[in-house]
C-alpha cells in the first residue's frame, strides 16, 4: 500500500474538472442529489467517499477511519486508500478500485456519489441491513465488475438499468426481498460469470435469453425463489462453461431439457424440491467427469434413470437397461470419478439403479429412497471406500448384502428397509467404526443376527420384519450408545440378554418373535408392553406369564403391586444404608467435635460469625435436606442474613494445605449464576462449606410445588442463566472446571428466579475416589448421566452439556427427570418416544404453559435434543447453547404472568 499521498492530494481538482466537462449529466445528477456538495473541491475521491458515508448509518462505527484529518492533514489516514474497506489502484495517483464493506450492519442509502469514483470496479455491501430498492443510479457505475449486495433487506424489482453495467462479471443479489420478473435485459451482461439471484421473491418465468445469452456463465443460482413458475429453459444447454447450476426449491416444472446433455463442465447440479416431471434426458451423465454433486430429489421424475450415468463413454448403450453391467470391469469408468453426492430420492424412478455408481471412489452419499429402483448391491461396492451414507429404503432392490459392504470404514448410515434383500447378514456388516444407523427392516433376510462388537457408535439398529432366527446377540449390550433396537416380527428365540438393561434404550421392540424366559427387569418397567407382545413364552411382572420359579403362588394380576412394593423396598433399603452410614459418620464427628470444634476456618466474605456460632447453629431443625455428600443446614445470622452450610465428611484424603488451596480455587469462582462460596471451616472429621442461601430453593422443588406455575419467560431465564453459569465454568474461569453433577436439584433460584448453580467441585474436596463411589451409588442410573458414562467414567464438558439438556427438557415439558416409581419412563425416553412415534413435538410441551409460547418452546426443545444427542461429539458447547437460548429470548416479549394459582 505504498501510495503517494501528495499525488492524490494535488490532483483531484484537476481531475474533477476534467470529468465534469466529460460527463455533464453526471454532474447535474450529483448536484441534484447531494445539495451539500456544491463546490468542485467536493468531487475529490475522499469527498465522494465521505458523501457516501454521510448517507449510511453505521451502528458499529466501522467507518471511523473515514475522515478528513484537519488537525494532521498529512497523516496517512487522510489518504482514503488507507481507510477501512478500500483498495486503490497501484497507479500514480492511486484511485479507489474496490469498496468492500460487508458484514458491518450498515443501513441507510447507497449514495450516488460512489458511481463518480471513476475506477470503482468492485462494490461489496453484502451482509448488511440495507433496506431500499436497488438504486437506479448504480447503473452509472460503469466500471463495475463485481456487485455484491447479498444478504440485505433490499426489496422492489430488479431494474432494467442494471443491464447498463456492461463490464459486470459478478452479480450477487441473493438473500434479499427482490420481486417481480427476472428482467430479460440481464441477457446483455455478456461478461457475466456469476449470477446469483437465489433466496428472493422473483416470480413468473425465467426468460430464456437470460440463460441462453450469458455464455460466460460459470455459476447460476436461482434457487429458493418459491414464486417462480417456470420451465427450465432449453437454452440453458448453451452455457457450455457452466459449473454450478442451483435451481432447487423454486417452482420449476416440466421436464429436464434434453440440452442438459451438453453441460460437460457441471460440478454441482441441484434441481431438488421442484415440480419437475418426465424422465432424465437420454445420454445425460456421459462425460460428466467433473460432477461432484447431483441432487434431483423431491420432484416427480420418473422412468428409467439413465443407465449410462457414470459409465465410460464407450459403454453407452441406452436401449439396454437390464443386466448389461454384469460384465463390466469397474476400472473402465471414465466418468463421474469425482462424484461425491448422488441424490435422487422421492421421485418415481424405476428400472435398474445405475450400477456403476456403487463403486465410485469419491462417493460419499447415495440417496435413492422412495423410488422403484431395482438391482443388486454389487461386490465392487468395496471400491467406494469413502462412502458414508446409503439410503435406498422403499425400492425394489434384491440380492444379498455383500460382505464387501463391511470393509467400508467410513460408512455411517446404511438404510435399506422396504426392499427385497435376502440371505444372511455377513458377520462384518457392522464393522465400520463410525457406523451409527442401520435399517434393514422389511426385507427377507434370514439366518442369525451376527454378533456386533466393532460398531461402538451404533445408535440405531432396525431389523424388523425379516426372518432372522437364533438368539439376540448378547454383544449388543456392549455397544455404549445403542438407543433404538427394533427386532420385531422375526423368528428370534431364546432369552433376552440381561445386559441390555444397562443400555439407555428409548426403543426396544422385540414383539412377535419366539423369545422365551424372564424379561430383564428394567426392560419391563421402562418400556411399553406392546414391545414385548407376541412372544408367548416370555415371562415377568406385568406379562401374561409370570416366571414360574419366582413367585409361584402369585396370580398375574397381582404383579404390578408386587413390582411397586419391591421398588419401595429396594429404595427403602438403600435409604437406610445411606442413613446408617451417615449417622455413623455424624455420630463420630459430633463426639469428637464436642471437644475440638472447627479449629480452622477461612472466610471469603465478611461474615460476622464464629466457628462456635456455626457449630451451635447447626441442629436437626434447620437441616433442609441431604445431598449425596452430606447435609445442608440453613442458619439465620444475627445480621438477618441466611447462609447455607453443607457438611461433608473429612475423609482425610487431602492434606489441610491442599484442602485450603482447593477450597480457595472454588471460592474464586464468581459468577451471577453460580452459588457463592462464602467460607469454610474444617476439623479432622468434617468440612463445613458456607454458601449464600437462596430463598426459593432448588429448581426441582419449585417445579414440584403445585402453587407455582413457571411461565415460559421465567423458564427461559432459568435455562439461560444456568447455561451461562456452566459456560463460565467450562471456559472462562481459571482453571476450567467441570460440574459433573448438573441436575434440577443443584440449580437454586433466588427470589427473582435467577438461577445459581450449586454443588460443583466437591470432588476436589472429598477426593476423587470417594466422589466417584458416592456418585456411582447415588446415580448409577440417573437420567442426567450421558449414555457414554456407562463405559467412560472420565468427566467431560459434553457430559455436562447432556445433563443440562435433561434440565432443559424438564423446563420444556414440565416433567420431572426423576419421576416417582409409578411412572417409570424417564423424561429423556419419554420425549424421544413421543417425538419418535408421533412426530408430534407439540405433544411434549408442558400443557401448563400458554400456547402463545409454543414456537419458542419448540426451539428450546430442539436445543435440548441437541444437548442430549447420544453421540457426545454432536452436542453443542455451552457457549453455543447460551447463544441459541438467548436468540429465543430477544424475540419473546412476554407478559409477566408467572405467578398464579
Ligand atoms: C448486527 O445486526 C444483527 C442483526 O440485526 C444483530 O444481531 C447484531 O447484534 C448487530 N451487531 C452489532 C454489533 O450491532
Ligand atoms: C481510472 O479512471 C480514469 C478515468 O476514467 C482513467 O483515465 C484511468 O486510466 C483509470 N485508472 C486505472 C488504473 O484504471
Ligand atoms: C458476496 O458476499 C457474500 C458475503 O460475504 C459472500 O458470501 C458471497 O460469496 C459473495 N458473492 C460472490 C459471488 O462472491
Ligand atoms: C424496511 O423499512 C420499512 C420502512 O422503513 C419497514 O417497514 C420494513 O419493515 C423494513 N424491512 C425489513 C425487512 O426490516
Ligand atoms: C442474445 O444473443 C443473440 C446472439 O448472440 C443476440 O442476437 C440477441 O440480441 C441477444 N439477446 C439479448 C436479449 O441480448
Ligand atoms: C408443485 O405444484 C403444485 C400444484 O401444481 C403446487 O401446489 C406446489 O406448490 C408445487 N411445488 C413446488 C415445490 O413448486
Ligand atoms: C414408498 O415410495 C412410494 C413412491 O415410490 C411412496 O408413494 C410411498 O409412500 C413410499 N412408502 C413409504 C412407506 O414411505
Ligand atoms: C415408531 C417409529 O417411528 N420409530 C422410529 C424411531 O426412531 C428410530 C431411529 O431413528 C427409527 O428406526 C424408528 O423407526
Amino acid at each position: 500500500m505504498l501510495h503517494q499521498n501528495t499525488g492524490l492530494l494535488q490532483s483531484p481538482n484537476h481531475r474533477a474538472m476534467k470529468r465534469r466537462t466529460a460527463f455533464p449529466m453526471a454532474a447535474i445528477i450529483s448536484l441534484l442529489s447531494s445539495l451539500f456538495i456544491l463546490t468542485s473541491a467536493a468531487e475529490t475521491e475522499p469527498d465522494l467517499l465521505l458523501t457516501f458515508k454521510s448517507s449510511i448509518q453505521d451502528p458499529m462505527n466501522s467507518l471511523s477511519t473515514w475522515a478528513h484529518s484537519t488537525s494532521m492533514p498529512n497523516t496517512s489516514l487522510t489518504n482514503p486508500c488507507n481507510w477501512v474497506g478500500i483498495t486503490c489502484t497501484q497507479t500514480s495517483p492511486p484511485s479507489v478500485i474496490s469498496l468492500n464493506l460487508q458484514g458491518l450492519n450498515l443501513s441507510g442509502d447507497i449514495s450516488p456519489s460512489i458511481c463518480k469514483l471513476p475506477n470503482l470496479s468492485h462494490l461489496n455491501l453484502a451482509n448488511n441491513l440495507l433496506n431500499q430498492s436497488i438504486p437506479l443510479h448504480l447503473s452509472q457505475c460503469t466500471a463495475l465488475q463485481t456487485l455484491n449486495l447479498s444478504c440485505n433487506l433490499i426489496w422492489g424489482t430488479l431494474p432494467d438499468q442494471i443491464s447498463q453495467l456492461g463490464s459486470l462479471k459478478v452479480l450477487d443479489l441473493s438473500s434479499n426481498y427482490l420481486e417481480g420478473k427476472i428482467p430479460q435485459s440481464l441477457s446483455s451482461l455478456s461478461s457475466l460469470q456469476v449470477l446469483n439471484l437465489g433466496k428472493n421473491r422473483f416470480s413468473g418465468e425465467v426468460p430464456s435469453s437470460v440463460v441462453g445469452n450469458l455464455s460466460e456463465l460459470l455459476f447460476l443460482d436461482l434457487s429458493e425463489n418459491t414464486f417462480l413458475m417456470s420451465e427450465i429453459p432449453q437454452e440453458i444447454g448453451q452455457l457450455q462453461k457452466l459449473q454450478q447450476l442451483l435451481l432447487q426449491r423454486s417452482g420449476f416444472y416440466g421436464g429436464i431439457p434434453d440440452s442438459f446433455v451438453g453441460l460437460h463442465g457441471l460440478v454441482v447440479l441441484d434441481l431438488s424440491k421442484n415440480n419437475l416431471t418426465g424422465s432424465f434426458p437420454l445420454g445425460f451423465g456421459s462425460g460428466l467427469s467433473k460432477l461432484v454433486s447431483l441432487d434431483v430429489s423431491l420432484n416427480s421424475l420418473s422412468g428409467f434413470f439413465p443407465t449410462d450415468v457414470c459409465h465410460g463413454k464407450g459403454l453407452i448403450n441406452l436401449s439396454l437397461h437390464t443386466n448389461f453391467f454384469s460384465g463390466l470391469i469397474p476400472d473402465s469408468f471414465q466418468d463421474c470419478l469425482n462424484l461425491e453426492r448422488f441424490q435422487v430420492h422421492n421421485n418415481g424412478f424405476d428400472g435398474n439403479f445405475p450400477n456403476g455408481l456403487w463403486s465410485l471412489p469419491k462417493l460419499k452419499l447415495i440417496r435413492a429412497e422412495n423410488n422403484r429402483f431395482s438391482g443388486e448391491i454389487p461386490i465392487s461396492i468395496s471400491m467406494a471406500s469413502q462412502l458414508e451414507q446409503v439410503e435406498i429404503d422403499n425400492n425394489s432392490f434384491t440380492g444379498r448384502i455383500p460382505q464387501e459392504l463391511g470393509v467400508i470404514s467410513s460408512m455411517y448410515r446404511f438404510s435399506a428397509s422396504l426392499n427385497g434383500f435376502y440371505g444372511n447378514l455377513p458377520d462384518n456388516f457392522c464393522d465400520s467404526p463410525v457406523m451409527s444407523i442401520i435399517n434393514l427392516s422389511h426385507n427377507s433376510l434370514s439366518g442369525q443376527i451376527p454378533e456386533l462388537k466393532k460398531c461402538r457408535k451404533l445408535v440405531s439398529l432396525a431389523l424388523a420384519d425379516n426372518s432372522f432366527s437364533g438368539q439376540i446377540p448378547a454383544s449388543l449390550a456392549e455397544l455404549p450408545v445403542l438407543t433404538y433396537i427394533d427386532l420385531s416380527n422375526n423368528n428370534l428365540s431364546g432369552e433376552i440378554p440381561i445386559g441390555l438393561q444397562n443400555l439407555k434404550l428409548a426403543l426396544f421392540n422385540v414383539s412377535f418373535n419366539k423369545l422365551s424366559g424372564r424379561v430383564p427387569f428394567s426392560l419391563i418397567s421402562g418400556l411399553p408392553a406392546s414391545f414385548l407382545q407376541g412372544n408367548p413364552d416370555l415371562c415377568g411382572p406385568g406379562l401374561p406369564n409370570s416366571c414360574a420359579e419366582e413367585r409361584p403362588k402369585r396370580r398375574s394380576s397381582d404383579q404390578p403391586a408386587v413390582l411397586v412394593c419391591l421398588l419401595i423396598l429396594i429404595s427403602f433399603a438403600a435409604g437406610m444404608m445411606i442413613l446408617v452410614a451417615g449417622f455413623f459418620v455424624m455420630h463420630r464427628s459430633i463426639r469428637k467435635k464436642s471437644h475440638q470444634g472447627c479449629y480452622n476456618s477461612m472466610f471469603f466474605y465478611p461474615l460476622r460469625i464464629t466457628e462456635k456460632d456455626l457449630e451451635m447453629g447447626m441442629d436437626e431443625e434447620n437441616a433442609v435436606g441431604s445431598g449425596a455428600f452430606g447435609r445442608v443446614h440453613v442458619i439465620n445470622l444475627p445480621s438477618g442474613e441466611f447462609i447455607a452450610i453443607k457438611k461433608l465428611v473429612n475423609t482425610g484424603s487431602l492434606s489441610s494445605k491442599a484442602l485450603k488451596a482447593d477450597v480457595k480455587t472454588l471460592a474464586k469462582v464468581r459468577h451471577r449464576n453460580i452459588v457463592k462460596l462464602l467460607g469454610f471451616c474444617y476439623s479432622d472429621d468434617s468440612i463445613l462449606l458456607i454458601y449464600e442461601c437462596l430463598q426459593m430453593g432448588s429448581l426441582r422443588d419449585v417445579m414440584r410445588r403445585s402453587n407455582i406455575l413457571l411461565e415460559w419467560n421465567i423458564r427461559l431465564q432459568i435455562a439461560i442463566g444456568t447455561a451461562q453459569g456452566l459456560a463460565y465454568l467450562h471456559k472462562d474461569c481459571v482453571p476450567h472446571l467441570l460440574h459433573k453433577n448438573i441436575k434440577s436439584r443443584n440449580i437454586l433460584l433466588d427470589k427473582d428466579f435467577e438461577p445459581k448453580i450449586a454443588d460443583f467441585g466437591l470432588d476436589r474436596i472429598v477426593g476423587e475416589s470417594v466422589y466417584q463411589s458416592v456418585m456411582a451409588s447415588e446415580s448409577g442410573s440417573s437420567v442426567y448421566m450421558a449414555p457414554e458414562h456407562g463405559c467412560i467414567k472420565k468427566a467431560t464438558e459434553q457430559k455436562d452439556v447432556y445433563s443440562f439438556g435433561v434440565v432443559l427438557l424438564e423446563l420444556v415439558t414440565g416433567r420431572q427427570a426423576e419421576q416417582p416409581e409409578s411412572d417409570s419412563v424417564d423424561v429423556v425416553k419419554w420425549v424421544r418416544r413421543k417425538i419418535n412415534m408421533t412426530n408430534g413435538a407439540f405433544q411434549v410441551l408442558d400443557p401448563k404453559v400458554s400456547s402463545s409460547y409454543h414456537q419458542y418452546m419448540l426451539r428450546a426443545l430442539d436445543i435440548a435434543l441437541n444437548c442430549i444427542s447420544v453421540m457426545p461429539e454432536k452436542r453443542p458447547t455451552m457457549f453455543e447453547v447460551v447463544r441459541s437460548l438467548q436468540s429465543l429470548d430477544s424475540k419473546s416479549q412476554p407478559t409477566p404472568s408467572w405467578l398464579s394459582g
Side-chain angles (χ1 to χ4, degrees):
M1 295 283 279
L2 291 173
H3 307 294
Q4 289 91 332
N5 284 349
T6 46
L8 180 75
L9 290 173
Q10 281 159 9
S11 65
N13 282 351
H14 168 70
R15 227 174 344 129
M17 269 152 66
K18 215 171 82 185
R19 194 173 343 109
R20 265 219 273 171
T21 48
F23 304 103
M25 266 316 283
I28 290 166
I29 290 168
S30 117
L31 279 175
L32 288 177
S33 56
S34 42
L35 288 171
F36 299 107
I37 308 159
L38 293 170
T39 64
S40 59
E43 301 274 281
T44 65
E45 290 203 339
D47 284 332
L48 291 169
L49 289 167
L50 290 174
T51 308
F52 170 79
K53 177 182 171 179
S54 67
S55 65
I56 289 283
Q57 272 115 53
D58 174 17
M60 292 148 75
N61 213 8
S62 318
L63 304 184
S64 59
T65 51
W66 287 36
H68 271 309
S69 180
T70 42
S71 54
M72 294 176 290
N74 286 326
T75 56
S76 63
L77 275 184
T78 312
N79 179 353
C81 298
N82 294 334
W83 293 355
V84 158
I86 290 181
T87 315
C88 293
T89 58
Q90 299 289 339
T91 53
S92 167
S95 172
V96 175
I97 187 172
S98 158
L99 196 53
N100 182 354
L101 299 174
Q102 48 177 321
L104 303 176
N105 278 9
L106 304 179
S107 56
D109 291 322
I110 305 173
S111 154
S113 67
I114 61 173
C115 287
K116 290 186 222 146
L117 297 165
N119 303 100
L120 185 67
S121 305
H122 307 285
L123 178 59
N124 187 345
L125 297 170
N127 265 320
N128 283 298
L129 303 169
L130 297 171
N131 179 351
Q132 63 177 147
S133 54
I134 294 186
L136 293 183
H137 57 71
L138 276 186
S139 61
Q140 286 153 24
C141 293
T142 44
L144 222 47
Q145 293 178 13
T146 306
L147 177 59
N148 191 344
L149 299 176
S150 74
C151 295
N152 276 289
L153 311 172
I154 293 172
W155 43 267
T157 57
L158 179 54
D160 277 329
Q161 284 85 336
I162 202 96
S163 59
Q164 292 168 24
L165 299 176
S167 321
L168 216 51
K169 291 194 175 133
V170 174
L171 178 60
D172 189 345
L173 302 173
S174 57
S175 300
N176 281 295
Y177 299 90
L178 293 169
E179 58 189 19
K181 298 218 154 141
I182 297 177
Q184 189 135 21
S185 53
L186 277 181
S187 60
S188 55
L189 297 177
S190 56
S191 313
L192 215 53
Q193 295 175 348
V194 173
L195 177 59
N196 191 346
L197 302 178
K199 293 198 182 129
N200 276 293
R201 295 173 173 179
F202 287 111
S203 55
E205 297 245 343
V206 176
S208 55
S209 58
V210 168
V211 290
N213 270 29
L214 303 177
S215 57
E216 295 299 309
L217 222 48
L218 304 172
F219 179 100
L220 176 60
D221 186 345
L222 303 177
S223 65
E224 302 192 40
N225 280 289
T226 45
F227 302 115
L228 282 181
M229 274 285 281
S230 180
E231 298 198 53
I232 301 177
Q234 182 73 247
E235 288 77 1
I236 213 153
Q238 295 164 21
L239 304 180
Q240 293 291 323
K241 299 187 178 166
L242 203 59
Q243 295 176 356
Q244 301 205 28
L245 179 58
L246 307 177
L247 303 181
Q248 71 272 20
R249 203 199 282 260
S250 273
F252 284 102
Y253 62 89
I256 299 179
D258 291 341
S259 60
F260 263 57
V261 171
L263 296 176
H264 291 309
L266 273 186
V267 178
V268 178
L269 174 61
D270 194 341
L271 306 177
S272 62
K273 307 185 185 96
N274 282 296
N275 270 347
L276 298 175
T277 51
S279 53
F280 251 78
L282 293 182
F284 175 83
S286 59
L288 285 181
S289 57
K290 303 199 174 114
L291 197 64
V292 170
S293 178
L294 172 75
D295 191 347
V296 297
S297 61
L298 293 145
N299 280 292
S300 304
L301 295 165
S302 60
F304 296 128
F305 198 82
T307 44
D308 58 319
V309 86
C310 302
H311 283 267
K313 293 190 186 70
L315 296 165
I316 303 172
N317 187 344
L318 290 166
S319 57
L320 294 177
H321 44 77
T322 49
N323 286 341
F324 94 101
F325 311 109
S326 46
L328 213 88
I329 306 157
D331 303 56
S332 68
F333 296 154
Q334 298 162 23
D335 297 339
C336 298
L337 285 178
N338 292 305
L339 195 63
E340 292 178 9
R341 292 181 297 279
F342 179 80
Q343 303 178 74
V344 298
H345 51 285
N346 295 65
N347 280 293
F349 290 118
D350 45 29
N352 248 319
F353 188 73
N355 216 31
L357 271 172
W358 288 115
S359 33
L360 292 175
K362 293 192 180 164
L363 200 63
K364 294 193 162 85
L365 172 66
I366 294 181
R367 289 194 64 183
E369 68 268 24
N370 300 326
N371 282 291
R372 292 185 295 272
F373 283 118
S374 53
E376 300 191 1
I377 300 181
I379 59 172
S380 60
I381 192 175
S382 58
M383 289 169 59
S385 58
Q386 319 232 4
L387 205 50
E388 293 172 359
Q389 289 194 56
V390 173
E391 290 177 63
I392 53 172
D393 312 78
N394 192 14
N395 278 291
S396 305
F397 285 96
T398 54
R400 294 169 179 272
I401 305 288
Q403 181 102 23
E404 284 71 14
L405 183 69
V407 304
I408 304 174
S409 62
S410 49
M411 188 74 83
Y412 153 85
R413 178 201 293 257
F414 185 80
S415 190
S417 64
L418 281 162
N419 277 293
F421 290 107
Y422 55 79
N424 290 0
L425 269 188
D427 283 350
N428 69 348
F429 87 104
C430 195
D431 274 6
S432 160
V434 290
M435 183 67 95
S436 296
I437 297 172
I438 289 181
N439 188 352
L440 285 166
S441 295
H442 312 292
N443 278 290
S444 306
L445 296 162
S446 57
Q448 298 222 347
I449 301 175
E451 294 284 338
L452 306 182
K453 291 204 167 122
K454 294 198 178 156
C455 37
R456 308 276 303 165
K457 301 208 161 168
L458 193 64
V459 172
S460 174
L461 176 67
L463 301 175
D465 193 19
N466 279 288
S467 303
F468 287 110
S469 54
Q471 304 218 339
I472 299 177
S475 54
L476 289 186
E478 287 152 38
L479 302 179
V481 293
L482 191 53
T483 310
Y484 304 96
I485 302 180
D486 189 350
L487 305 176
S488 58
N489 290 295
N490 279 290
N491 290 322
L492 296 168
S493 55
E495 298 202 350
I496 297 176
I498 184 132
L500 288 179
Q501 59 181 347
N502 300 333
L503 296 176
K504 296 203 142 203
L505 292 175
L507 176 86
F508 178 69
N509 191 346
V510 290
S511 56
F512 301 101
N513 277 287
K514 297 187 174 129
L515 297 166
S516 57
R518 183 192 303 272
V519 180
F521 183 73
S522 82
L523 293 180
I524 296 190
S525 61
L527 293 163
S530 62
F531 288 172
L532 299 171
Q533 70 184 317
N535 291 283
D537 295 335
L538 282 180
C539 70
L543 295 179
N545 298 330
S546 54
C547 296
E549 67 291 29
E550 188 185 33
R551 299 212 181 262
K553 283 172 211 143
R554 292 274 174 189
R555 316 198 105 256
S556 56
S557 58
D558 292 339
Q559 291 303 334
V562 173
L563 180 65
V564 172
C565 287
L566 201 73
L567 280 172
I568 291 175
L569 210 73
I570 290 173
S571 54
F572 180 71
M576 277 303 281
M577 269 154 62
I578 292 172
L579 258 176
V580 168
F583 182 76
F584 176 70
V585 168
M586 285 279 269
H587 186 67
R588 215 168 56 122
S589 65
I590 285 170
R591 235 183 28 197
K592 235 177 158 180
K593 208 168 49 181
S594 56
H595 299 296
Q596 298 173 303
C598 284
Y599 56 76
N600 212 332
S601 62
M602 187 186 279
F603 293 122
F604 311 110
Y605 185 84
L607 282 177
R608 255 176 269 122
I609 186 168
T610 63
E611 291 115 47
K612 184 117 180 122
D613 294 335
L614 276 183
E615 208 184 313
M616 303 295 287
M618 285 195 304
D619 52 34
E620 289 300 313
E621 274 168 28
N622 60 26
V624 292
S626 53
F629 295 94
R631 296 196 120 182
V632 177
H633 297 261
V634 169
I635 296 183
N636 190 353
L637 298 182
S639 63
E641 279 175 291
F642 285 90
I643 55 173
I645 299 171
K646 189 171 188 93
K647 181 165 183 172
L648 306 175
V649 177
N650 188 352
T651 55
S653 58
L654 290 179
S655 70
S656 62
K657 197 170 158 196
L659 181 64
K660 275 193 231 166
D662 277 344
V663 175
K664 270 192 199 159
T665 307
L666 293 184
K668 270 194 234 142
V669 178
R670 287 286 158 106
H671 186 273
R672 69 187 283 227
N673 296 115
I674 291 177
V675 174
K676 275 199 204 70
L677 181 60
L678 306 177
F680 88 124
C681 74
Y682 66 91
S683 71
D684 281 347
D685 297 308
S686 48
I687 300 172
L688 306 181
L689 295 173
I690 305 167
Y691 290 102
E692 64 179 323
C693 178
L694 297 164
Q695 285 95 325
M696 298 296 295
S698 75
L699 173 60
R700 186 177 86 132
D701 297 342
V702 170
M703 301 259 299
R704 276 191 176 184
R705 264 179 245 154
S706 52
N707 61 337
I708 299 183
L709 170 65
L710 294 179
E711 250 311 350
W712 175 244
N713 50 327
I714 299 296
R715 298 189 195 198
L716 185 59
Q717 173 194 329
I718 293 170
I720 291 175
T722 308
Q724 281 170 334
L726 266 179
Y728 171 83
L729 286 182
H730 286 176
K731 284 278 146 44
D732 285 340
C733 85
V734 183
H736 297 338
L737 293 173
L738 298 172
H739 188 290
K740 307 186 184 177
N741 196 13
I742 278 287
K743 49 181 160 184
S744 55
R745 240 193 295 185
N746 286 339
I747 296 168
L748 308 182
L749 301 176
D750 74 6
K751 62 179 195 316
D752 301 320
F753 292 94
E754 184 69 33
K756 290 175 191 268
I757 301 174
D759 238 23
F760 65 96
L762 295 183
D763 52 322
R764 288 175 162 254
I765 292 172
V766 298
E768 186 64 31
S769 60
V770 175
Y771 184 83
Q772 289 286 2
S773 67
V774 173
M775 289 296 286
S777 69
E778 198 208 24
S779 53
S781 62
S782 165
V783 55
Y784 292 101
M785 286 293 168
E788 71 269 20
H789 191 75
C791 48
I792 310 159
K793 285 286 175 272
K794 189 171 171 302
T796 59
E797 276 181 25
Q798 289 116 339
K799 286 186 186 174
D800 276 356
V801 174
Y802 183 95
S803 310
F804 174 80
V806 179
V807 173
L808 189 52
L809 277 188
E810 292 183 88
L811 289 168
V812 171
T813 61
R815 284 173 74 99
Q816 309 264 307
E818 298 160 296
Q819 286 285 321
E821 286 87 347
S822 61
D823 187 356
S824 45
V825 183
D826 70 46
V827 68
V828 174
K829 284 184 198 157
W830 184 78
V831 167
R832 280 208 185 117
R833 258 181 230 160
K834 281 266 176 187
I835 293 178
N836 187 241
M837 284 182 189
T838 57
N839 272 328
F842 273 109
Q843 289 185 23
V844 307
L845 304 185
D846 189 345
K848 296 193 287 298
V849 175
S850 103
S851 62
S852 58
Y853 293 111
H854 275 184
Q855 50 166 324
Y856 302 110
M857 295 173 76
L858 284 178
R859 285 164 62 193
L861 176 65
D862 213 40
I863 298 169
L865 290 174
N866 282 332
C867 292
I868 62 163
S869 171
V870 281
M871 309 295 277
E873 61 272 18
K874 293 250 173 78
R875 293 175 206 147
T877 66
M878 281 320 297
F879 264 101
E880 287 161 350
V881 173
V882 169
R883 235 181 291 132
S884 323
L885 286 172
Q886 278 171 339
S887 76
L888 299 186
D889 195 24
S890 59
K891 293 194 189 74
S892 57
Q893 256 96 46
T895 43
S897 60
W898 39 271
L899 267 179
S900 69

